Amino acid sequence: LDLTEGHTIVDRAHSALNLFGHIDVLINNAGVSSRGSVLETDIRVDRTIMETNFFGPIQLTKALLPSMLERGCGQIVVISSIQGKMGVPLRSSYSASKHALHGYFDSLRVEVAPRGISVTLVCLGYVQTRLSVNALRGDGSQHGVTDATTAKGMSVEKAAHKTIESFSLHKRECVLAKPIHQIALYINMLCPELIDWILRKRAKVN
């Protein structure tokens, strides 16, 4: 399912409903990252990332939500990132798309909770996937490199296990990241200027 092709999403959702009868859990797990400064990133790359990371998932959710509401039960799980809670240099489009997910699904959670639907946001740190390899540079080409932070990240198996655990407990939000990155989120709330300074230093090193 290509989430940049909006015309196919509703058809695929209806096909799934016809095949299974209903959907108990929807996990929105699509994602493409970015590598490049705001200035050097073509607007078409920004749009591609927003289509994949934001508009695709919300269109799929809209397609399946009516059947969940009709049954009065269902779970919507959104795989986000700690970058949806804190902007990071050279990842502007990716951070923006994840921030958008948080605003949208936080709103949806409040709307549908009285009707038996739960929404869980899972904020991942670095996970050993091909996210950095498939990330888009400013000109739209693939980054093609496994970043050191990704290589040292959480295993896919552990991330999957923790994700299942979090939505099984109907958690509102779950942060799955190393302690240092969780601490960074708290510092960002308490003293955002300090995080800005740290990220500027990090960007210069990289």
Side-chain angles (χ1 to χ4, degrees):
L1 177 60
D2 187 343
L3 291 181
T4 63
E5 297 180 356
H7 61 282
T8 68
I9 293 175
V10 175
D11 289 341
R12 293 293 183 89
H14 290 167
S15 295
L17 288 172
N18 289 333
L19 180 62
F20 298 109
H22 62 269
I23 301 297
D24 293 307
V25 181
L26 167 62
I27 301 179
N28 286 303
N29 189 37
V32 59
S33 189
S34 56
R35 295 293 185 276
S37 70
V38 169
L39 214 61
E40 70 184 13
T41 300
D42 191 287
I43 190 66
R44 289 171 293 185
V45 174
D46 297 317
R47 292 185 185 279
T48 296
I49 290 171
M50 289 299 293
E51 284 289 346
T52 303
N53 296 0
F54 179 65
F55 287 110
I58 70 170
Q59 188 170 3
L60 182 57
T61 299
K62 283 175 176 284
L64 294 175
L65 184 59
S67 67
M68 290 183 175
L69 292 172
E70 185 177 345
R71 294 175 63 232
C73 62
Q75 291 180 271
I76 298 168
V77 183
V78 183
I79 306 302
S80 184
S81 166
I82 58 173
Q83 292 182 39
K85 300 171 75 67
M86 181 176 70
V88 175
L90 308 181
R91 310 284 191 277
S92 56
S93 300
Y94 181 71
S95 293
S97 69
K98 295 301 183 179
H99 274 77
L101 283 178
H102 280 250
Y104 189 92
F105 284 96
D106 281 347
S107 299
L108 177 63
R109 181 190 299 109
V110 179
E111 292 180 18
V112 299
R115 301 182 65 179
I117 314 299
S118 66
V119 177
T120 299
L121 278 158
V122 180
C123 307
L124 296 174
Y126 294 106
V127 180
Q128 295 170 3
T129 67
R130 292 180 58 82
L131 186 70
S132 68
V133 174
N134 296 325
L136 299 180
R137 296 180 182 273
D139 61 1
S141 62
Q142 283 195 341
H143 182 52
V145 176
T146 299
D147 295 340
T149 48
T150 298
K152 296 175 182 177
M154 183 185 300
S155 71
V156 172
E157 293 78 13
K158 183 176 180 179
H161 175 76
K162 291 291 186 181
T163 295
I164 294 171
E165 184 180 85
S166 67
F167 73 74
S168 296
L169 295 172
H170 295 273
K171 289 186 176 180
R172 179 183 187 278
E173 184 175 282
C174 177
V175 177
L176 302 179
K178 291 182 177 180
I180 189 171
H181 297 133
Q182 296 191 38
I183 291 170
L185 292 179
Y186 284 111
I187 296 174
N188 190 52
M189 289 189 292
L190 298 172
C191 186
E193 293 83 1
L194 177 57
I195 284 296
D196 287 350
W197 180 82
I198 291 171
L199 290 175
R200 283 198 300 270
K201 293 291 184 180
R202 179 176 178 271
K204 288 180 181 179
V205 170
N206 292 341

